[in-house]
Amino acid sequence: MSIAENVREIRRQMAEAAEAAGRNANEIALCAATKMNDAERVKEAVAAGVDCCGENRVQELTAKLPQGAYEGKPLHFIGHLQTNKVKYLVGTVDLIQSVDRTELLEAIEKEAVKKGVTQDILLEVNIGAEESKSGFTPAQAMETAANMARYPHVRLRGLMAIPPISEHPGANRRFFADMRALSVDIAAKKYDNVTMEHLSMGMSGDFADAIAEGSTMIRVGTAIFGARDYSKK
Ligand SMILES: *Cc1c(COP(=O)(O)O)cnc(C)c1O
């Protein structure tokens, strides 16, 4: 199937999941996870009507950006970010979804001051408490939200999570539910510089469950572009 057909099918499944949950599909963004797909394929996804593009590696992003890959749609960063690469993203991407540690938050603030911009971010939460994954614990995310006034050039706009690889269908629903509860708890505090408008969770294999549990943004790669060929890199 073509990229456009895949996007149509995902929209259909999103609408179905939203309806089953008594939600409006219009409040859920479809973010294309574009890693390992070249600018032409990303443009196809943009033309097919995804709501945003999420890139994983700074090097890929800076290569595809001048090729106009993301033109017309918001660009997000969703991968692990080294502090020395922050300068390539601040003021360039609309949203850094994968802020997974305080050191990175500090580096983003510093770069935003330097550039005279305000950078929107999400906090990445390690909701499955996995050793192999980075991210804030829920308690640390709450604490970081409480401290956002320390970072006046950064706006916290929500949370992002990559739950454990699902052992069987539905296994991740409780993690999605925990994320939703955390985002509601943080929003209720009405901290300075903090809104919880985005709850970024759900990928190709589990976005229907994520939508059922309150996701406002799904990040989909494989279901749009097909399987990634890791043997090439
Ligand atoms: C690759 C990636 C996705 C998309 O994964 P698929 O299973 O291919 O849909 C989502 N989020 C992040 C952070 C990713 O790196």
Side-chain angles (χ1 to χ4, degrees):
M1 286 213 290
S2 70
I3 287 171
E5 283 168 326
N6 289 341
V7 168
R8 253 198 312 280
E9 172 58 18
I10 293 161
R11 289 286 188 195
R12 192 192 63 71
Q13 292 175 19
M14 288 172 73
E16 201 173 82
E19 196 187 343
R23 303 183 58 199
N24 185 343
N26 293 334
E27 64 194 38
I28 305 154
L30 171 57
C31 202
T34 50
K35 59 174 173 275
M36 299 180 68
N37 285 281
D38 63 20
E40 286 314 309
R41 291 172 63 76
V42 176
K43 280 182 197 172
E44 271 186 62
V46 166
V50 300
D51 297 302
C52 45
C53 294
E55 201 62 80
N56 273 76
R57 290 200 208 139
V58 172
Q59 206 180 333
E60 276 194 57
L61 185 147
T62 54
K64 292 176 218 175
L65 192 60
Q67 298 176 284
Y70 320 106
E71 224 159 88
K73 293 295 171 184
L75 174 57
H76 298 179
F77 190 78
I78 62 174
H80 185 71
L81 181 56
Q82 292 168 267
T83 51
N84 63 351
K85 301 238 169 98
V86 159
K87 59 178 178 282
Y88 299 109
L89 299 186
V90 169
T92 296
V93 302
D94 298 282
L95 185 66
I96 302 176
Q97 294 200 15
S98 43
V99 176
D100 58 1
R101 58 201 192 280
T102 304
E103 181 201 19
L104 181 57
L105 186 51
E106 285 166 357
I108 292 169
E109 167 68 19
K110 221 167 145 182
E111 185 66 23
V113 170
K114 202 161 139 190
K115 292 208 172 103
V117 298
T118 303
Q119 181 66 53
D120 284 350
I121 65 149
L122 306 182
L123 295 183
E124 181 172 350
V125 179
N126 185 359
I127 197 66
E130 295 173 278
E131 294 252 349
S132 61
K133 271 189 194 138
S134 57
F136 293 95
T137 66
Q140 288 167 340
M142 178 61 87
E143 195 188 326
T144 304
N147 290 331
M148 281 307 293
R150 290 185 197 164
Y151 311 99
H153 298 80
V154 181
R155 284 197 309 178
L156 175 54
R157 299 189 61 199
L159 305 176
M160 180 270 232
I162 309 170
I165 290 169
S166 197
E167 302 277 311
H168 52 85
N172 280 342
R173 273 192 76 147
R174 68 189 173 93
F175 295 119
F176 294 140
D178 289 348
M179 284 298 298
R180 163 82 180 160
L182 178 62
S183 106
V184 169
D185 284 352
I186 293 175
K189 305 277 190 185
K190 302 194 183 309
Y191 291 127
D192 275 359
N193 235 2
V194 177
T195 66
M196 284 287 124
E197 65 209 81
H198 299 304
L199 182 54
S200 173
M201 56 186 196
M203 314 201 299
S204 292
D206 57 12
F207 67 78
D209 283 339
I211 288 170
E213 298 295 348
S215 171
T216 67
M217 187 184 290
I218 63 174
R219 308 175 311 269
V220 179
T222 309
I224 294 177
F225 299 106
R228 291 177 288 274
D229 183 359
Y230 285 98
S231 68
K232 280 199 235 158
K233 299 218 167 169

